Amino acid sequence: MKAALLASVFGLISASAAHAETAAVAATAEPSETIDSLVIVANRNDATKTQMRAATAISVLSAEDLEHTAVHNVAEALGMMPSVNVMNTGSSFFGGVDGASRGEGMFVSIRGLNAEFNVNMINGVTVAQGMPYSRQVQLSLLPPSGLHTIVLNKTSTADMDGDAIGGTVDFRTPSAFDYRGDFTGSITASGRIESRARDYGDQGLGGGLSAELAKKFGPNQSFGVYASAFYDKRNYANSEVAGVMSAQNDGGWGFLIKDANGANYPGLDPEKNMTQTGLNVGVSNGYTERWGGNFTLNWRPNDTLDAYLRGSYAYAKTQQNSTLSQFVSTSKSYKEAVPGSGRYALSVDAISTRVWYETNPEEADLATLQAGFDKTLGAWTLSPQIFFSEGNNDRPNHIEASERVNQSDKYNKGPTRPLGGLSIGYADNLPYPLFTSTIYDDLNNANTALLARRSGQLTEQFSGQQKYGFKFDAKRVFEGQALQWIKLGGKYIDSHRRVTNRDWTNDHFANAIGQGGLTWQSLGLSTSYYDQVFPGQYNWRVPKVNQSKLFEYFYKYKTAASFDTCGSLDINNYNCNTQKGDEAVTSVYAVADYQFGDVEISPGLRYEHAQIDNLYWSIPTTSAGEQPGNWATSHTKYNEVLPSVFVTWRPDGAAVYRGSIWSSYTRPAFIQLAGGERRSVSDDGNVSISRGNPNLKPIKALNVDLSGEWSNSKGGYAMFGGFYKRLSDYIYDNGSSSVNTDSYAEGKTSISQPNNGGSGDVYGLEMQLRQKFSDLPGLLSGLGAGMNLTRQWTLVDLGDSVQSRIQNGVHNRIQNAPDWLGSAQLFYQKGGFSFDVIYHYTGAYVAGYDALNQPGKWDNLWVRPHHSVDLHAGYAFDNGFKLDLSVANLLKDYSYWAHVGQHSLAVSDVVDSGRTTLLTLKKTF
């Protein structure tokens, strides 16, 4: 298919070079919308018209869409589009239930492909990727305010970046020339309430303020300036059950019945034979504070020149504190139920009662700046541009501390609590600890009943990228012939990124102070409680930790020996988890456009050359042990030829049919390519080494897209389409660990290195409908309804290194790709009044592979189907004021539920983030 695609592209481009045929064309169809010039789309009717006129398949969110929702950020706003799955957890320190317990969407997958397979833009500038372990962009950084249009390009033409297999999302801000008047502006104030925080007795209040201004001035109003600014703050307290965390970190799971060899009993389904043996339950509280703005300066002295300078900046600071009450199974045994039967039943013989506290602070920002112009010279339009983007995702002072009943140090030797039999029961699909009164009292009075452990463990992590470059596009328009136009251009992007991670672990409190029996109460680390650890489900108390006091103790008792990032030598501890990388991407392209009656054909060809150079720290190890390290380098090159053909048929102004074939790719993350290694040392002295692989191949895709769109004169719109993607050399997201890992052990040292997987297939169907019932009498004419529905199928070969633990030849679902996605909307718009009820549904999907390191693929981590109902009501007054009330998750459905095994909820992570209510008042002038 790729050879045929290349042949067709070269053939059509050659024809364009010969100026094609000069047959006259009957222009019966409405011309295509040039999406490059699209900036502001005011309402849903404008959005559907734009989608119809577009030359390629797109989805558009209008300013009205963004105002009619209580979403926290643009990631959640994207969830209103077809084929978009919103994830509220991700990689690195955003992973698992800890990331999900923030209670907001962070990343999106598009058409079955994870976040690193997408290109994210602001006003056409590819934004920097600040995430430490992947190419994802944390979209929760951006609020919906200040962005007037979001465009999702489902396909990639040759003049677009080629490293988008999922889709390209462009966040658009307006210019002064997008408004009718010479001067306009608005001020918006908002207030927010988070219901789950109220359940804990916290206020859960938040709010924001934003403003925008647009003005045209100068000779013939040729100058335009647009500026916007925003500030908001959210305070939250959410509940979490961390069963998967307990299973992975504390061995908190087991088979109910084993055989004599200690394996799952033959003939029993391992999912049904699995049970939780320990549990973490707690509260995640904190705040997110964001501010930033956008600006656009334009100069349009005549119809042939448009010069511009655009910029955007967003900053977010998050403080997240997770306090988990821990029920840890420290001793398990199996006893033969009937002598000679070979069936051994689980018994949890001892429990350690604990509390674990950690912070998950984050400081993130994202900036873009671009300058350029569009100049028309006869039949040519020349468009040079320079641009810059910077993004950072830092975790400046993550700290951990714990207390436990069986604390062991120089002054304490605490006992575990005896139990026996099963330790967990289930009700309403949730696990419940089977307490003795002593165990319950330990957890309910943790501040005085448990012994303080370490005086803190601190981690500092900094990650960022700077990206800059230039591009040049030239478009030549032809008249009176089949060839409508040709477009040629090139682009150069150079980027630099840096990731560093350092760790300090203090000694135990008792050893540092020289006294046994210390508790959080006696140390002043916690003197009060949340009355219920998980209101409505788990009723014992959990401590409220004094974070400033913990930092005070940490710095007081930190010593030279505390520095333990990855070894024993300071120079290695300082540099071992530091990596710097430079990536230069050079691309050229050519696109032609032909019109044959109602049919438009656009062949294109793009070539991209990528040079990636990594600098990392290498630690030699000899018979004498660890040696001082040194800086080393690795180099990777990619050369990709990306042909494409797009065909559009417009039989009339109310219908359009599209078909396209194009190729794309995604480069592996920097951290996976580095030839060096990252080390971590556990408390028991085990060393884990992750090595990069500069020989990783890019993930490639051959894409096919077919769709039809129809509209009517009474506010109706319909779209039906299908898509297919053939993947090769697949790489999946494995959080902060190596992907497709090839692992082996040498004594107490385990070594892992990423490798490419095999091939995969993604295919799906999309449908979008919207109709306003304007023929109904009277007030009922304001009613309308809409929906979108996506069905996806995915299969992928993870590669031999992973399949050896699963089963050779067995394919897996692609992660973060739900089988079903959909939403339904009932709306009313009449006069100044508007009302919306929106139902969202996301089907089950795989979030991670091989969660418990068991043979077979039964232990993949799945996310349970999720549904929610949102509500909006608003009124626009004649004096320019507009009042909107929006409620997200009206019925308080759980925001996250992950579980081990597709058909089992025995080992689960659950987050309850409650309902969000947002009230906004906007004044337009």
Side-chain angles (χ1 to χ4, degrees), residues 42-44 47 60-69 80 770:
N43 54 51
R44 172 43 51 186
V60 179
L61 281 181
S62 67
E64 181 183 68
D65 292 324
L66 296 172
E67 290 176 353
H68 287 199
T69 178
M80 294 186 283
R770 183 178 175 87

Side-chain angles (χ1 to χ4, degrees), residues 293-437:
N294 311 285
F295 76 89
T296 301
L297 302 176
N298 289 85
W299 179 44
R300 295 183 180 179
N302 52 56
D303 293 337
T304 68
L305 177 63
D306 182 7
Y308 57 85
L309 175 66
R310 303 187 189 109
S312 68
Y313 181 76
Y315 172 85
K317 180 179 181 180
T318 297
Q319 180 61 56
Q320 181 183 11
N321 314 295
S322 298
T323 310
L324 295 173
S325 186
Q326 296 184 298
F327 178 80
V328 179
S329 53
T330 56
S331 177
K332 292 179 283 190
S333 63
Y334 283 84
K335 301 176 177 61
E336 195 171 20
V338 178
S341 66
R343 295 169 61 94
Y344 294 81
L346 171 67
S347 175
V348 179
D349 301 321
I351 293 292
S352 172
T353 48
R354 306 175 182 178
V355 172
W356 179 46
Y357 172 81
E358 70 159 347
T359 67
N360 197 12
E362 180 196 5
E363 293 182 13
D365 63 0
L366 184 63
T368 64
L369 184 66
Q370 61 182 147
F373 61 84
D374 299 315
K375 174 63 178 177
T376 301
L377 297 171
W380 287 92
T381 299
L382 306 180
S383 303
Q385 183 187 103
I386 58 174
F387 53 86
F388 171 81
S389 180
E390 181 173 1
N392 297 280
N393 288 86
D394 298 331
R395 195 189 200 191
N397 55 352
H398 160 80
I399 194 167
E400 300 178 22
S402 64
E403 55 180 348
R404 58 180 61 178
V405 70
N406 60 323
Q407 170 57 26
S408 179
D409 48 51
K410 295 179 181 178
Y411 296 87
N412 298 293
K413 188 67 175 179
T416 56
R417 300 305 191 191
L419 188 61
L422 296 180
S423 57
I424 296 289
Y426 293 89
D428 297 326
N429 294 319
L430 290 174
Y432 287 87
L434 300 177
F435 292 126
T436 64
S437 59

Side-chain angles (χ1 to χ4, degrees), residues 457-684:
Q457 178 178 357
L458 184 75
T459 303
E460 293 180 347
Q461 184 174 58
F462 301 93
S463 175
Q465 183 183 47
Q466 292 180 332
K467 181 178 291 188
Y468 57 89
F470 61 87
K471 69 174 186 174
F472 182 82
D473 302 299
K475 185 176 181 179
R476 169 73 157 87
V477 177
F478 299 91
E479 295 182 1
Q481 57 188 41
L483 177 61
Q484 300 291 290
W485 50 262
I486 60 172
K487 189 176 181 182
L488 309 170
K491 187 176 184 179
Y492 176 79
I493 301 178
D494 200 353
S495 62
H496 173 76
R497 76 185 276 64
R498 175 188 175 97
V499 177
T500 186
N501 184 85
R502 300 185 181 103
D503 187 85
W504 292 261
T505 304
N506 280 358
D507 199 355
H508 299 133
F509 268 112
N511 297 342
I513 296 176
Q515 178 183 342
L518 296 172
T519 65
W520 279 6
Q521 175 86 18
S522 65
L523 291 166
L525 283 176
S526 178
T527 57
S528 60
Y529 295 89
Y530 284 106
D531 291 336
Q532 289 187 322
V533 64
F534 192 124
Q537 297 294 345
Y538 305 92
N539 63 4
W540 66 91
R541 300 184 298 176
V542 66
K544 292 183 177 180
V545 177
N546 185 332
Q547 184 185 123
S548 60
K549 192 70 173 179
L550 177 58
F551 274 106
E552 178 185 327
Y553 277 122
F554 172 80
Y555 287 111
K556 180 178 181 179
Y557 295 115
K558 187 181 75 168
T559 66
S562 300
F563 197 21
D564 64 344
T565 308
C566 58
S568 57
L569 302 179
D570 279 357
I571 190 172
N572 290 339
N573 283 321
Y574 191 81
N575 293 312
C576 61
N577 285 343
T578 295
Q579 179 186 337
K580 303 174 184 178
D582 291 291
E583 181 180 54
V585 180
T586 305
S587 58
V588 293
Y589 73 87
V591 184
D593 186 81
Y594 296 86
Q595 192 89 32
F596 301 100
D598 298 334
V599 177
E600 183 179 3
I601 303 177
S602 295
L605 184 66
R606 186 179 185 88
Y607 168 75
E608 290 196 1
H609 169 75
Q611 172 73 45
I612 303 172
D613 302 307
N614 275 303
L615 180 70
Y616 56 87
W617 189 256
S618 178
I619 302 176
T621 302
T622 68
S623 58
E626 177 187 336
Q627 301 299 309
N630 58 274
W631 294 106
T633 60
S634 67
H635 309 279
T636 303
K637 292 182 180 180
Y638 298 125
N639 293 284
E640 299 299 325
V641 178
L642 307 171
S644 59
V645 175
F646 290 79
V647 180
T648 304
W649 176 38
R650 299 177 185 272
D652 54 54
V656 57
Y657 303 89
R658 299 187 180 92
S660 57
I661 305 176
W662 80 101
S663 51
S664 56
Y665 76 112
T666 295
R667 298 181 292 274
F670 287 87
I671 205 77
Q672 306 291 346
L673 289 169
E677 57 188 40
R678 289 174 291 127
R679 295 186 172 206
S680 61
V681 182
S682 64
D683 287 345
D684 57 8

Side-chain angles (χ1 to χ4, degrees), residues 677-885:
E677 57 188 40
R678 289 174 291 127
R679 295 186 172 206
S680 61
V681 182
S682 64
D683 287 345
D684 57 8
N686 289 319
V687 180
S688 298
I689 298 177
S690 297
R691 289 177 176 165
N693 183 359
N695 297 316
L696 284 175
K697 301 174 183 177
I699 308 97
K700 299 179 183 179
L702 183 64
N703 312 273
V704 180
D705 187 86
L706 298 170
S707 65
E709 296 180 62
W710 304 267
S711 65
N712 60 42
S713 60
K714 299 179 180 180
Y717 171 81
M719 181 277 292
F720 183 79
F723 59 88
Y724 171 74
K725 299 176 184 291
R726 177 63 176 177
L727 307 176
S728 59
D729 301 315
Y730 179 69
I731 295 177
Y732 64 92
D733 177 24
N734 201 34
S736 57
S737 301
S738 297
V739 295
N740 298 63
T741 308
D742 186 11
S743 301
Y744 59 94
E746 298 176 350
K748 297 188 73 173
T749 301
S750 61
I751 301 173
S752 61
Q753 186 178 44
N755 287 288
N756 285 96
S759 59
D761 296 283
V762 179
Y763 48 104
L765 299 172
E766 296 175 338
M767 180 175 66
Q768 188 173 4
L769 304 172
R770 183 178 175 87
Q771 180 65 61
K772 189 171 183 179
F773 306 125
S774 54
D775 287 339
L776 292 176
L779 294 176
L780 295 179
S781 61
L783 278 174
M787 66 168 294
N788 67 68
L789 186 66
T790 304
R791 177 68 168 99
Q792 299 179 144
W793 297 266
T794 64
L795 285 174
V796 68
D797 176 6
L798 299 182
D800 293 339
S801 58
V802 179
Q803 298 295 356
S804 63
R805 294 198 305 273
I806 300 176
Q807 182 179 341
N808 288 330
V810 174
H811 282 61
N812 279 263
R813 291 263 296 267
I814 288 182
Q815 62 185 162
N816 298 325
D819 46 4
W820 290 95
L821 285 163
S823 65
Q825 180 183 17
L826 179 67
F827 63 89
Y828 182 86
Q829 293 176 328
K830 193 72 173 179
F833 182 70
S834 61
F835 180 80
D836 305 83
V837 179
I838 307 173
Y839 172 79
H840 302 277
Y841 176 81
T842 301
Y845 60 90
V846 174
Y849 304 111
D850 204 20
L852 300 179
N853 295 310
Q854 294 296 300
K857 66 175 185 178
W858 68 268
D859 63 330
N860 287 345
L861 182 67
W862 286 76
V863 173
R864 200 178 184 192
H866 176 260
H867 58 86
S868 64
V869 176
D870 297 345
L871 181 69
H872 163 264
Y875 189 80
F877 298 89
D878 294 335
N879 57 3
F881 281 96
K882 188 172 186 295
L883 186 66
D884 288 280
L885 175 67

Side-chain angles (χ1 to χ4, degrees), residues 906-919:
V907 179
S908 290
D909 283 343
V910 182
V911 174
D912 185 346
S913 55
R915 175 195 301 137
T916 298
T917 303
L918 179 68
L919 182 66

Side-chain angles (χ1 to χ4, degrees), residues 246-247 251-255 274-278 329 332 852 854 858 907:
S246 176
W253 78 282
F255 290 120
M274 173 179 57
T275 187
Q276 194 95 51
T277 63
S329 53
K332 292 179 283 190
L852 300 179
Q854 294 296 300
W858 68 268
V907 179

